[in-house]
Amino acid sequence: MAVSASKTKYVFDGDASVELRAVSAGATTAGAATRVETGISLNALDTAYWHNNETPWRNLVISVQITALVTGGGETYEFQLIADDDSGMAGGVVVAAQTVPSTYTGNFDFVVDAATLDQFADNAGTEVFLATQVVQVGVSAAATYGAQIAKNIR
């Protein structure tokens, strides 16, 4: 019997510490222009004397799963990845973005170099947080999606 390649690119972790948004959270508010989710910490190395507040990862893969988008009224959707040094994401900077057609359901990935995330944040703190945001245009625009940091196994 031949070995078949896996159809899954990444190993998914069910822990809440890597989940940027749960699909089970339901749809974003219909007609809302933007919706920034709660930021999660990347756990910068800052507790020992030899640590220099760096993020302990190389490339972060953020897997976004879109299960439903409202269609039919000219709605548009841009999914964004935001970095900030404040968990409230008040001064967050968009580090990656993907526009999807309103008819799309499925997955896509953001791949971000963790070493550069500190440069995108405003550097007022010692921690880096990531969050997702969806920019929705259209009276009925609403998106049901989930996003999490995934482990690259390839």
Side-chain angles (χ1 to χ4, degrees):
M1 182 164 117
V3 176
S4 298
S6 173
K7 293 187 180 193
T8 303
K9 290 183 181 179
Y10 307 107
V11 174
F12 293 99
D13 186 341
D15 191 274
S17 67
V18 296
E19 191 168 48
L20 295 161
R21 185 176 200 278
V23 173
S24 62
T28 58
T29 305
T34 60
R35 166 75 187 260
V36 180
E37 300 299 329
T38 303
I40 63 169
S41 171
L42 295 182
N43 297 319
L45 301 175
D46 57 8
T47 57
Y49 73 90
W50 63 84
H51 289 160
N52 60 358
N53 297 326
E54 68 184 346
T55 302
W57 315 106
R58 288 191 177 181
N59 290 327
L60 293 173
V61 177
I62 290 74
S63 180
V64 178
Q65 308 89 33
I66 300 171
T67 59
L69 298 174
V70 170
T71 64
E75 295 83 8
T76 61
Y77 301 90
E78 182 179 79
F79 291 83
Q80 300 176 343
L81 187 63
I82 312 290
D84 198 359
D85 58 1
D86 173 32
S87 63
M89 308 306 290
V93 175
V94 176
V95 295
Q98 177 66 50
T99 300
V100 299
S102 62
T103 56
Y104 180 78
T105 57
N107 296 352
F108 67 88
D109 301 321
F110 292 123
V111 180
V112 182
D113 177 22
T116 61
L117 287 176
D118 286 334
Q119 298 173 29
F120 287 104
D122 59 14
N123 291 320
T126 58
E127 191 65 61
V128 175
F129 295 86
L130 282 183
T132 57
Q133 171 174 282
V134 60
V135 177
Q136 305 174 150
V137 177
V139 175
S140 300
T144 304
Y145 77 100
Q148 70 175 350
I149 299 172
K151 180 179 179 183
N152 189 347
I153 58 173
R154 291 190 177 185

Short mmCIF file of all heavy atoms in Angstrom, two decimals, residues 62-134:
data_model
loop_
_atom_site.label_atom_id
_atom_site.label_comp_id
_atom_site.label_asym_id
_atom_site.label_seq_id
_atom_site.Cartn_x
_atom_site.Cartn_y
_atom_site.Cartn_z
N ILE A 62 -0.93 31.75 10.53
CA ILE A 62 -2.26 31.99 11.07
C ILE A 62 -3.25 31.45 10.04
O ILE A 62 -3.32 31.93 8.91
CB ILE A 62 -2.52 33.48 11.37
CG1 ILE A 62 -1.69 33.96 12.56
CG2 ILE A 62 -3.99 33.69 11.72
CD1 ILE A 62 -0.27 34.16 12.31
N SER A 63 -3.97 30.43 10.43
CA SER A 63 -4.93 29.79 9.54
C SER A 63 -6.31 30.39 9.79
O SER A 63 -6.78 30.43 10.93
CB SER A 63 -4.94 28.29 9.81
OG SER A 63 -5.86 27.65 8.95
N VAL A 64 -6.94 30.88 8.73
CA VAL A 64 -8.26 31.49 8.81
C VAL A 64 -9.25 30.56 8.11
O VAL A 64 -9.02 30.16 6.97
CB VAL A 64 -8.27 32.89 8.17
CG1 VAL A 64 -9.66 33.51 8.22
CG2 VAL A 64 -7.24 33.79 8.83
N GLN A 65 -10.34 30.22 8.80
CA GLN A 65 -11.36 29.35 8.24
C GLN A 65 -12.66 30.15 8.13
O GLN A 65 -13.24 30.53 9.14
CB GLN A 65 -11.62 28.13 9.13
CG GLN A 65 -10.40 27.34 9.51
CD GLN A 65 -9.75 27.85 10.79
OE1 GLN A 65 -10.41 28.32 11.69
NE2 GLN A 65 -8.44 27.76 10.85
N ILE A 66 -13.09 30.41 6.90
CA ILE A 66 -14.33 31.16 6.67
C ILE A 66 -15.43 30.13 6.40
O ILE A 66 -15.33 29.34 5.47
CB ILE A 66 -14.20 32.12 5.48
CG1 ILE A 66 -13.09 33.13 5.74
CG2 ILE A 66 -15.53 32.83 5.22
CD1 ILE A 66 -12.75 33.99 4.55
N THR A 67 -16.47 30.16 7.23
CA THR A 67 -17.57 29.21 7.04
C THR A 67 -18.80 29.85 6.42
O THR A 67 -19.62 29.15 5.83
CB THR A 67 -17.96 28.54 8.37
OG1 THR A 67 -18.34 29.55 9.31
CG2 THR A 67 -16.79 27.73 8.93
N ALA A 68 -18.95 31.17 6.53
CA ALA A 68 -20.11 31.84 5.92
C ALA A 68 -19.85 33.33 5.78
O ALA A 68 -19.30 33.96 6.68
CB ALA A 68 -21.36 31.61 6.76
N LEU A 69 -20.25 33.88 4.65
CA LEU A 69 -20.25 35.32 4.41
C LEU A 69 -21.61 35.69 3.84
O LEU A 69 -22.16 34.95 3.02
CB LEU A 69 -19.15 35.71 3.40
CG LEU A 69 -17.71 35.43 3.80
CD1 LEU A 69 -16.77 35.76 2.63
CD2 LEU A 69 -17.32 36.24 5.03
N VAL A 70 -22.14 36.82 4.25
CA VAL A 70 -23.39 37.30 3.68
C VAL A 70 -23.10 37.77 2.26
O VAL A 70 -22.13 38.48 2.01
CB VAL A 70 -23.99 38.44 4.53
CG1 VAL A 70 -25.16 39.09 3.82
CG2 VAL A 70 -24.41 37.90 5.88
N THR A 71 -23.93 37.33 1.32
CA THR A 71 -23.74 37.68 -0.09
C THR A 71 -24.98 38.32 -0.67
O THR A 71 -26.05 38.30 -0.05
CB THR A 71 -23.42 36.42 -0.93
OG1 THR A 71 -24.56 35.56 -0.89
CG2 THR A 71 -22.22 35.69 -0.42
N GLY A 72 -24.84 38.90 -1.82
CA GLY A 72 -26.01 39.36 -2.56
C GLY A 72 -26.22 40.85 -2.61
O GLY A 72 -26.95 41.35 -3.45
N GLY A 73 -25.60 41.61 -1.73
CA GLY A 73 -25.83 43.05 -1.72
C GLY A 73 -24.59 43.86 -2.00
O GLY A 73 -24.48 45.00 -1.57
N GLY A 74 -23.62 43.29 -2.68
CA GLY A 74 -22.38 43.99 -2.98
C GLY A 74 -21.42 44.06 -1.80
O GLY A 74 -20.55 44.92 -1.74
N GLU A 75 -21.57 43.15 -0.84
CA GLU A 75 -20.69 43.13 0.34
C GLU A 75 -19.26 42.77 -0.06
O GLU A 75 -19.04 41.99 -0.97
CB GLU A 75 -21.19 42.11 1.37
CG GLU A 75 -22.53 42.44 1.98
CD GLU A 75 -23.70 42.01 1.11
OE1 GLU A 75 -23.48 41.31 0.10
OE2 GLU A 75 -24.81 42.37 1.44
N THR A 76 -18.31 43.36 0.65
CA THR A 76 -16.90 43.00 0.49
C THR A 76 -16.30 42.75 1.87
O THR A 76 -16.76 43.31 2.87
CB THR A 76 -16.09 44.10 -0.24
OG1 THR A 76 -16.13 45.29 0.54
CG2 THR A 76 -16.63 44.37 -1.63
N TYR A 77 -15.25 41.92 1.88
CA TYR A 77 -14.63 41.52 3.14
C TYR A 77 -13.12 41.53 3.00
O TYR A 77 -12.57 40.98 2.05
CB TYR A 77 -15.07 40.10 3.53
CG TYR A 77 -16.56 39.97 3.70
CD1 TYR A 77 -17.38 39.64 2.63
CD2 TYR A 77 -17.16 40.22 4.93
CE1 TYR A 77 -18.76 39.53 2.79
CE2 TYR A 77 -18.53 40.11 5.10
CZ TYR A 77 -19.32 39.77 4.02
OH TYR A 77 -20.68 39.68 4.19
N GLU A 78 -12.46 42.18 3.96
CA GLU A 78 -11.00 42.12 4.04
C GLU A 78 -10.64 41.62 5.44
O GLU A 78 -10.98 42.26 6.43
CB GLU A 78 -10.35 43.48 3.80
CG GLU A 78 -8.83 43.38 3.85
CD GLU A 78 -8.14 44.69 3.59
OE1 GLU A 78 -8.08 45.52 4.52
OE2 GLU A 78 -7.67 44.89 2.45
N PHE A 79 -9.97 40.49 5.48
CA PHE A 79 -9.52 39.92 6.75
C PHE A 79 -8.11 40.42 7.01
O PHE A 79 -7.26 40.39 6.11
CB PHE A 79 -9.56 38.39 6.68
CG PHE A 79 -10.97 37.87 6.63
CD1 PHE A 79 -11.65 37.80 5.42
CD2 PHE A 79 -11.62 37.50 7.79
CE1 PHE A 79 -12.96 37.35 5.36
CE2 PHE A 79 -12.93 37.04 7.74
CZ PHE A 79 -13.60 36.97 6.53
N GLN A 80 -7.87 40.90 8.22
CA GLN A 80 -6.58 41.51 8.56
C GLN A 80 -6.00 40.86 9.81
O GLN A 80 -6.73 40.43 10.70
CB GLN A 80 -6.75 43.01 8.81
CG GLN A 80 -7.28 43.76 7.62
CD GLN A 80 -7.54 45.23 7.91
OE1 GLN A 80 -7.62 45.65 9.07
NE2 GLN A 80 -7.66 46.02 6.86
N LEU A 81 -4.68 40.84 9.85
CA LEU A 81 -3.94 40.42 11.03
C LEU A 81 -3.31 41.67 11.63
O LEU A 81 -2.64 42.43 10.93
CB LEU A 81 -2.86 39.41 10.64
CG LEU A 81 -2.11 38.75 11.78
CD1 LEU A 81 -3.05 37.92 12.64
CD2 LEU A 81 -1.01 37.86 11.22
N ILE A 82 -3.57 41.90 12.91
CA ILE A 82 -3.14 43.12 13.60
C ILE A 82 -2.09 42.76 14.66
O ILE A 82 -2.27 41.78 15.39
CB ILE A 82 -4.33 43.80 14.32
CG1 ILE A 82 -5.54 43.93 13.39
CG2 ILE A 82 -3.94 45.12 14.94
CD1 ILE A 82 -5.38 44.91 12.30
N ALA A 83 -1.03 43.55 14.76
CA ALA A 83 -0.02 43.39 15.81
C ALA A 83 0.01 44.65 16.66
O ALA A 83 -0.14 45.76 16.16
CB ALA A 83 1.36 43.15 15.21
N ASP A 84 0.19 44.47 17.97
CA ASP A 84 0.29 45.60 18.88
C ASP A 84 1.00 45.14 20.14
O ASP A 84 1.13 43.94 20.38
CB ASP A 84 -1.11 46.14 19.23
CG ASP A 84 -1.07 47.55 19.80
OD1 ASP A 84 0.03 48.12 19.96
OD2 ASP A 84 -2.14 48.08 20.12
N ASP A 85 1.46 46.08 20.94
CA ASP A 85 2.08 45.73 22.21
C ASP A 85 1.11 45.96 23.37
O ASP A 85 1.49 45.93 24.52
CB ASP A 85 3.38 46.48 22.43
CG ASP A 85 3.20 47.98 22.40
OD1 ASP A 85 2.05 48.44 22.23
OD2 ASP A 85 4.18 48.70 22.54
N ASP A 86 -0.16 46.15 23.04
CA ASP A 86 -1.22 46.34 24.03
C ASP A 86 -2.32 45.34 23.72
O ASP A 86 -2.77 45.24 22.57
CB ASP A 86 -1.75 47.77 23.93
CG ASP A 86 -2.96 48.01 24.80
OD1 ASP A 86 -3.07 47.38 25.86
OD2 ASP A 86 -3.81 48.83 24.40
N SER A 87 -2.77 44.59 24.71
CA SER A 87 -3.78 43.56 24.48
C SER A 87 -5.11 44.14 23.99
O SER A 87 -5.90 43.44 23.35
CB SER A 87 -4.02 42.74 25.74
OG SER A 87 -4.53 43.56 26.77
N GLY A 88 -5.35 45.41 24.25
CA GLY A 88 -6.56 46.06 23.76
C GLY A 88 -6.52 46.39 22.29
O GLY A 88 -7.53 46.77 21.71
N MET A 89 -5.36 46.29 21.67
CA MET A 89 -5.15 46.50 20.24
C MET A 89 -5.51 47.92 19.79
O MET A 89 -5.79 48.16 18.62
CB MET A 89 -5.93 45.47 19.41
CG MET A 89 -5.70 44.02 19.81
SD MET A 89 -3.98 43.49 19.86
CE MET A 89 -3.55 43.48 18.15
N ALA A 90 -5.46 48.89 20.72
CA ALA A 90 -5.85 50.27 20.39
C ALA A 90 -4.94 50.91 19.35
O ALA A 90 -5.40 51.67 18.52
CB ALA A 90 -5.88 51.11 21.65
N GLY A 91 -3.65 50.62 19.39
CA GLY A 91 -2.72 51.20 18.42
C GLY A 91 -2.20 50.17 17.45
O GLY A 91 -1.10 50.30 16.91
N GLY A 92 -2.98 49.13 17.20
CA GLY A 92 -2.55 48.02 16.36
C GLY A 92 -2.24 48.41 14.93
O GLY A 92 -2.81 49.35 14.39
N VAL A 93 -1.32 47.67 14.33
CA VAL A 93 -0.88 47.90 12.96
C VAL A 93 -1.23 46.66 12.14
O VAL A 93 -0.99 45.53 12.57
CB VAL A 93 0.64 48.16 12.91
CG1 VAL A 93 1.13 48.29 11.49
CG2 VAL A 93 0.99 49.40 13.72
N VAL A 94 -1.78 46.86 10.95
CA VAL A 94 -2.10 45.75 10.06
C VAL A 94 -0.78 45.19 9.49
O VAL A 94 -0.03 45.92 8.84
CB VAL A 94 -3.02 46.20 8.91
CG1 VAL A 94 -3.27 45.05 7.93
CG2 VAL A 94 -4.33 46.73 9.46
N VAL A 95 -0.49 43.92 9.76
CA VAL A 95 0.73 43.30 9.25
C VAL A 95 0.47 42.36 8.09
O VAL A 95 1.39 41.97 7.38
CB VAL A 95 1.51 42.56 10.38
CG1 VAL A 95 2.01 43.55 11.41
CG2 VAL A 95 0.67 41.48 11.02
N ALA A 96 -0.79 42.00 7.87
CA ALA A 96 -1.16 41.16 6.72
C ALA A 96 -2.65 41.35 6.47
O ALA A 96 -3.42 41.59 7.40
CB ALA A 96 -0.86 39.70 7.00
N ALA A 97 -3.05 41.26 5.20
CA ALA A 97 -4.46 41.43 4.86
C ALA A 97 -4.79 40.57 3.64
O ALA A 97 -3.94 40.34 2.78
CB ALA A 97 -4.77 42.90 4.57
N GLN A 98 -6.03 40.12 3.58
CA GLN A 98 -6.51 39.33 2.45
C GLN A 98 -7.96 39.70 2.17
O GLN A 98 -8.81 39.58 3.04
CB GLN A 98 -6.40 37.84 2.75
CG GLN A 98 -6.93 36.94 1.66
CD GLN A 98 -6.09 37.02 0.39
OE1 GLN A 98 -4.87 36.91 0.44
NE2 GLN A 98 -6.75 37.23 -0.73
N THR A 99 -8.23 40.16 0.95
CA THR A 99 -9.60 40.43 0.54
C THR A 99 -10.16 39.16 -0.09
O THR A 99 -9.48 38.50 -0.87
CB THR A 99 -9.63 41.58 -0.49
OG1 THR A 99 -9.08 42.75 0.14
CG2 THR A 99 -11.06 41.88 -0.93
N VAL A 100 -11.39 38.82 0.29
CA VAL A 100 -12.01 37.62 -0.26
C VAL A 100 -13.36 38.01 -0.87
O VAL A 100 -14.03 38.93 -0.39
CB VAL A 100 -12.21 36.52 0.81
CG1 VAL A 100 -10.88 36.08 1.38
CG2 VAL A 100 -13.13 36.96 1.91
N PRO A 101 -13.76 37.31 -1.93
CA PRO A 101 -15.08 37.58 -2.50
C PRO A 101 -16.18 37.13 -1.55
O PRO A 101 -15.98 36.20 -0.76
CB PRO A 101 -15.09 36.75 -3.80
CG PRO A 101 -13.97 35.78 -3.68
CD PRO A 101 -13.01 36.31 -2.68
N SER A 102 -17.32 37.75 -1.64
CA SER A 102 -18.41 37.43 -0.71
C SER A 102 -18.98 36.04 -0.93
O SER A 102 -19.74 35.55 -0.10
CB SER A 102 -19.53 38.47 -0.82
OG SER A 102 -20.08 38.46 -2.12
N THR A 103 -18.60 35.38 -1.99
CA THR A 103 -19.06 34.01 -2.26
C THR A 103 -18.10 32.95 -1.72
O THR A 103 -18.36 31.76 -1.85
CB THR A 103 -19.22 33.79 -3.77
OG1 THR A 103 -17.97 34.09 -4.41
CG2 THR A 103 -20.31 34.69 -4.34
N TYR A 104 -17.00 33.38 -1.09
CA TYR A 104 -15.95 32.43 -0.68
C TYR A 104 -16.25 31.79 0.68
O TYR A 104 -16.66 32.47 1.62
CB TYR A 104 -14.60 33.16 -0.59
CG TYR A 104 -13.46 32.27 -0.18
CD1 TYR A 104 -12.88 31.40 -1.09
CD2 TYR A 104 -12.98 32.27 1.12
CE1 TYR A 104 -11.83 30.57 -0.73
CE2 TYR A 104 -11.94 31.44 1.50
CZ TYR A 104 -11.37 30.59 0.57
OH TYR A 104 -10.34 29.76 0.94
N THR A 105 -16.05 30.50 0.76
CA THR A 105 -15.93 29.79 2.02
C THR A 105 -14.75 28.85 1.89
O THR A 105 -14.50 28.31 0.82
CB THR A 105 -17.21 28.98 2.38
OG1 THR A 105 -17.49 28.06 1.34
CG2 THR A 105 -18.39 29.89 2.64
N GLY A 106 -14.00 28.70 2.95
CA GLY A 106 -12.81 27.86 2.92
C GLY A 106 -11.72 28.45 3.79
O GLY A 106 -11.97 29.29 4.65
N ASN A 107 -10.49 28.01 3.55
CA ASN A 107 -9.34 28.41 4.36
C ASN A 107 -8.35 29.23 3.56
O ASN A 107 -8.22 29.05 2.35
CB ASN A 107 -8.62 27.19 4.91
CG ASN A 107 -9.46 26.37 5.85
OD1 ASN A 107 -10.56 26.77 6.23
ND2 ASN A 107 -8.96 25.23 6.23
N PHE A 108 -7.63 30.08 4.26
CA PHE A 108 -6.42 30.71 3.73
C PHE A 108 -5.50 30.97 4.90
O PHE A 108 -5.91 30.90 6.07
CB PHE A 108 -6.71 31.99 2.93
CG PHE A 108 -7.24 33.13 3.74
CD1 PHE A 108 -6.38 34.03 4.35
CD2 PHE A 108 -8.61 33.33 3.89
CE1 PHE A 108 -6.86 35.08 5.11
CE2 PHE A 108 -9.10 34.38 4.64
CZ PHE A 108 -8.22 35.26 5.24
N ASP A 109 -4.24 31.23 4.61
CA ASP A 109 -3.23 31.39 5.66
C ASP A 109 -2.50 32.72 5.54
O ASP A 109 -2.25 33.20 4.43
CB ASP A 109 -2.18 30.28 5.58
CG ASP A 109 -2.78 28.89 5.72
OD1 ASP A 109 -3.71 28.74 6.54
OD2 ASP A 109 -2.33 27.98 5.01
N PHE A 110 -2.19 33.29 6.69
CA PHE A 110 -1.23 34.38 6.78
C PHE A 110 0.06 33.77 7.30
O PHE A 110 0.03 32.99 8.26
CB PHE A 110 -1.67 35.45 7.79
CG PHE A 110 -2.89 36.24 7.40
CD1 PHE A 110 -4.00 36.28 8.22
CD2 PHE A 110 -2.90 36.98 6.23
CE1 PHE A 110 -5.12 37.03 7.88
CE2 PHE A 110 -4.02 37.74 5.89
CZ PHE A 110 -5.12 37.75 6.72
N VAL A 111 1.20 34.10 6.71
CA VAL A 111 2.50 33.68 7.24
C VAL A 111 3.27 34.95 7.56
O VAL A 111 3.48 35.81 6.70
CB VAL A 111 3.28 32.82 6.23
CG1 VAL A 111 4.62 32.41 6.81
CG2 VAL A 111 2.48 31.59 5.84
N VAL A 112 3.66 35.08 8.84
CA VAL A 112 4.28 36.32 9.32
C VAL A 112 5.60 35.98 9.98
O VAL A 112 5.68 35.04 10.77
CB VAL A 112 3.35 37.03 10.33
CG1 VAL A 112 3.96 38.33 10.80
CG2 VAL A 112 1.99 37.28 9.72
N ASP A 113 6.63 36.75 9.67
CA ASP A 113 7.94 36.60 10.31
C ASP A 113 7.86 37.21 11.71
O ASP A 113 7.71 38.42 11.86
CB ASP A 113 9.00 37.29 9.47
CG ASP A 113 10.38 37.24 10.11
OD1 ASP A 113 10.62 36.35 10.95
OD2 ASP A 113 11.22 38.09 9.77
N ALA A 114 7.94 36.36 12.72
CA ALA A 114 7.77 36.83 14.10
C ALA A 114 8.86 37.81 14.52
O ALA A 114 8.62 38.68 15.36
CB ALA A 114 7.74 35.63 15.05
N ALA A 115 10.04 37.69 13.95
CA ALA A 115 11.14 38.58 14.34
C ALA A 115 10.87 40.04 13.98
O ALA A 115 11.44 40.94 14.59
CB ALA A 115 12.44 38.12 13.69
N THR A 116 9.99 40.27 13.04
CA THR A 116 9.71 41.65 12.63
C THR A 116 8.46 42.23 13.30
O THR A 116 8.19 43.42 13.16
CB THR A 116 9.54 41.75 11.10
OG1 THR A 116 8.44 40.95 10.72
CG2 THR A 116 10.80 41.32 10.39
N LEU A 117 7.72 41.41 14.03
CA LEU A 117 6.48 41.92 14.63
C LEU A 117 6.72 43.06 15.61
O LEU A 117 5.91 43.99 15.68
CB LEU A 117 5.70 40.80 15.30
CG LEU A 117 5.03 39.82 14.35
CD1 LEU A 117 4.36 38.70 15.13
CD2 LEU A 117 4.03 40.52 13.45
N ASP A 118 7.82 43.01 16.35
CA ASP A 118 8.13 44.09 17.28
C ASP A 118 8.25 45.43 16.56
O ASP A 118 7.93 46.47 17.11
CB ASP A 118 9.42 43.82 18.03
CG ASP A 118 9.26 42.75 19.09
OD1 ASP A 118 8.12 42.59 19.59
OD2 ASP A 118 10.25 42.10 19.43
N GLN A 119 8.71 45.41 15.35
CA GLN A 119 8.90 46.65 14.59
C GLN A 119 7.57 47.24 14.14
O GLN A 119 7.46 48.42 13.91
CB GLN A 119 9.80 46.39 13.39
CG GLN A 119 11.19 45.94 13.81
CD GLN A 119 12.03 45.52 12.64
OE1 GLN A 119 11.86 46.01 11.54
NE2 GLN A 119 12.96 44.61 12.87
N PHE A 120 6.54 46.40 14.00
CA PHE A 120 5.23 46.89 13.59
C PHE A 120 4.44 47.45 14.76
O PHE A 120 3.62 48.33 14.59
CB PHE A 120 4.43 45.78 12.91
CG PHE A 120 4.93 45.46 11.54
CD1 PHE A 120 5.67 44.33 11.32
CD2 PHE A 120 4.65 46.30 10.48
CE1 PHE A 120 6.13 44.03 10.05
CE2 PHE A 120 5.11 46.01 9.21
CZ PHE A 120 5.85 44.87 9.00
N ALA A 121 4.67 46.90 15.95
CA ALA A 121 3.98 47.41 17.13
C ALA A 121 4.61 48.74 17.51
O ALA A 121 5.72 49.06 17.11
CB ALA A 121 4.10 46.41 18.28
N ASP A 122 3.91 49.55 18.31
CA ASP A 122 4.44 50.87 18.65
C ASP A 122 5.49 50.83 19.76
O ASP A 122 6.02 51.85 20.15
CB ASP A 122 3.32 51.85 18.98
CG ASP A 122 2.45 51.40 20.14
OD1 ASP A 122 2.85 50.48 20.88
OD2 ASP A 122 1.38 51.97 20.31
N ASN A 123 5.79 49.63 20.26
CA ASN A 123 6.89 49.39 21.19
C ASN A 123 6.80 50.14 22.52
O ASN A 123 7.81 50.45 23.12
CB ASN A 123 8.24 49.67 20.52
CG ASN A 123 8.55 48.65 19.45
OD1 ASN A 123 8.28 47.46 19.63
ND2 ASN A 123 9.07 49.10 18.33
N ALA A 124 5.59 50.42 22.98
CA ALA A 124 5.45 51.04 24.29
C ALA A 124 5.51 49.99 25.40
O ALA A 124 5.75 50.32 26.54
CB ALA A 124 4.13 51.80 24.37
N GLY A 125 5.30 48.72 25.06
CA GLY A 125 5.32 47.64 26.04
C GLY A 125 6.38 46.61 25.69
O GLY A 125 7.15 46.78 24.77
N THR A 126 6.39 45.52 26.47
CA THR A 126 7.39 44.47 26.25
C THR A 126 6.80 43.20 25.68
O THR A 126 7.50 42.23 25.50
CB THR A 126 8.09 44.13 27.58
OG1 THR A 126 7.10 43.70 28.52
CG2 THR A 126 8.85 45.32 28.11
N GLU A 127 5.53 43.21 25.38
CA GLU A 127 4.85 42.03 24.86
C GLU A 127 4.28 42.34 23.49
O GLU A 127 4.00 43.50 23.17
CB GLU A 127 3.70 41.65 25.82
CG GLU A 127 3.08 40.32 25.57
CD GLU A 127 4.05 39.18 25.81
OE1 GLU A 127 4.53 39.02 26.93
OE2 GLU A 127 4.33 38.45 24.85
N VAL A 128 4.11 41.33 22.65
CA VAL A 128 3.47 41.50 21.35
C VAL A 128 2.19 40.68 21.34
O VAL A 128 2.18 39.53 21.76
CB VAL A 128 4.40 41.06 20.19
CG1 VAL A 128 3.67 41.13 18.86
CG2 VAL A 128 5.65 41.93 20.15
N PHE A 129 1.13 41.30 20.85
CA PHE A 129 -0.17 40.64 20.76
C PHE A 129 -0.60 40.60 19.30
O PHE A 129 -0.30 41.51 18.53
CB PHE A 129 -1.22 41.41 21.57
CG PHE A 129 -0.96 41.41 23.04
CD1 PHE A 129 -0.11 42.36 23.61
CD2 PHE A 129 -1.54 40.45 23.86
CE1 PHE A 129 0.14 42.36 24.97
CE2 PHE A 129 -1.28 40.44 25.22
CZ PHE A 129 -0.44 41.40 25.78
N LEU A 130 -1.31 39.55 18.93
CA LEU A 130 -1.90 39.43 17.60
C LEU A 130 -3.41 39.35 17.74
O LEU A 130 -3.93 38.78 18.70
CB LEU A 130 -1.43 38.16 16.90
CG LEU A 130 -0.05 38.14 16.28
CD1 LEU A 130 0.18 36.81 15.58
CD2 LEU A 130 0.16 39.28 15.32
N ALA A 131 -4.09 39.90 16.75
CA ALA A 131 -5.55 39.81 16.70
C ALA A 131 -5.96 39.81 15.23
O ALA A 131 -5.19 40.22 14.36
CB ALA A 131 -6.20 40.99 17.41
N THR A 132 -7.16 39.34 14.98
CA THR A 132 -7.71 39.44 13.64
C THR A 132 -8.74 40.56 13.62
O THR A 132 -9.29 40.95 14.65
CB THR A 132 -8.38 38.12 13.20
OG1 THR A 132 -9.39 37.78 14.14
CG2 THR A 132 -7.37 37.01 13.06
N GLN A 133 -8.97 41.04 12.43
CA GLN A 133 -9.98 42.06 12.21
C GLN A 133 -10.58 41.80 10.85
O GLN A 133 -9.88 41.41 9.92
CB GLN A 133 -9.33 43.44 12.23
CG GLN A 133 -10.24 44.57 11.80
CD GLN A 133 -9.60 45.93 11.98
OE1 GLN A 133 -9.54 46.43 13.08
NE2 GLN A 133 -9.11 46.51 10.91
N VAL A 134 -11.87 41.98 10.71
CA VAL A 134 -12.50 41.90 9.40
C VAL A 134 -13.13 43.25 9.10
O VAL A 134 -13.85 43.81 9.91
CB VAL A 134 -13.53 40.73 9.30
CG1 VAL A 134 -14.64 40.87 10.31
CG2 VAL A 134 -14.07 40.61 7.90
#
